Amino acid sequence: MNTKLTHFSEEIILQFDQIPADRKFLLDRLTSYIQGNLNGGKESLLMFICTHNSRRSHFGQILCALAADFYQVTGIQTFSAGTEVTAFHPNAIAALRSIGMEVQTMDTTSNPHYIVSWSSTHSLHAYSKLIDDEGNPKEHFAAIMTCTHAEQNCPFVVGADFRIGLSYDDPKAFDGTAQESEMYLARVYQIARELFYVFSRLTH
């Protein structure tokens, strides 16, 4: 993990008291799911789902992988998906770069593919995709719903053995405004706080 991301991670773990008690109750359910897999010697396949797979679901996938690496929890694979295909939004990419993520553009199509790295040995392939994309798991995974629209309009996720609604406000609302960068970064910090909290409570 590079120096900038190490500092980001160390900052995040000092912010757990900013997470409301009712939110921690929800997050503890996710902790219990992962802990059960760890206790049983099984992998945890964690899929973050939003409508467009363009912002919040990518944040979830990438920051969850970072948290697992920071806490040295093995057996974790993270994924993201949408109920529609759009593109990994440039503002979301800029927010991740600002905390120290390295993002390499692989093509310039309408739905570009990226390699997101946080160390020399850890990276993810990121692009907008549907839940049933060939790169996503088909069974025995957790469906983590990161937006209210997907939570309400996708009541059943085929193959998931655990489902939880962790909705976040969409930073898209601030696109093209003076608060754009600030609000995207605020969402990165919020999602990171919650996922680092989850991994901080695991015993392994």
Side-chain angles (χ1 to χ4, degrees), residues 27-114:
L27 296 168
D28 287 342
R29 287 185 53 216
L30 179 56
T31 300
S32 295
Y33 172 79
I34 299 171
Q35 188 68 63
N37 286 335
L38 285 171
N39 294 346
K42 296 186 292 185
E43 283 192 321
S44 288
L45 309 179
L46 310 176
M47 190 190 302
F48 294 83
I49 301 170
C50 204
T51 302
H52 297 128
N53 190 205
S54 58
R55 297 169 176 82
R56 291 163 287 177
S57 48
H58 283 297
F59 287 163
Q61 177 190 11
I62 293 162
L63 295 168
C64 186
L66 180 68
D69 187 25
F70 183 82
Y71 284 102
Q72 299 184 326
V73 180
T74 58
I76 304 294
Q77 292 192 55
T78 65
F79 307 87
S80 68
T83 57
E84 303 172 26
V85 171
T86 55
F88 192 176
H89 199 276
N91 290 344
I93 293 170
L96 290 170
R97 282 177 170 150
S98 75
I99 66 168
M101 290 284 178
E102 295 183 10
V103 185
Q104 180 183 1
T105 305
M106 303 304 292
D107 60 65
T108 55
T109 62
S110 59
N111 179 18
H113 288 224
Y114 302 90

Side-chain angles (χ1 to χ4, degrees), residues 55-56 59 169-175 180 183-184 187:
R55 297 169 176 82
R56 291 163 287 177
F59 287 163
D169 291 341
D170 193 351
K172 176 183 179 180
F174 297 90
D175 284 358
E180 181 181 273
M183 298 310 296
Y184 271 81
R187 199 60 60 241

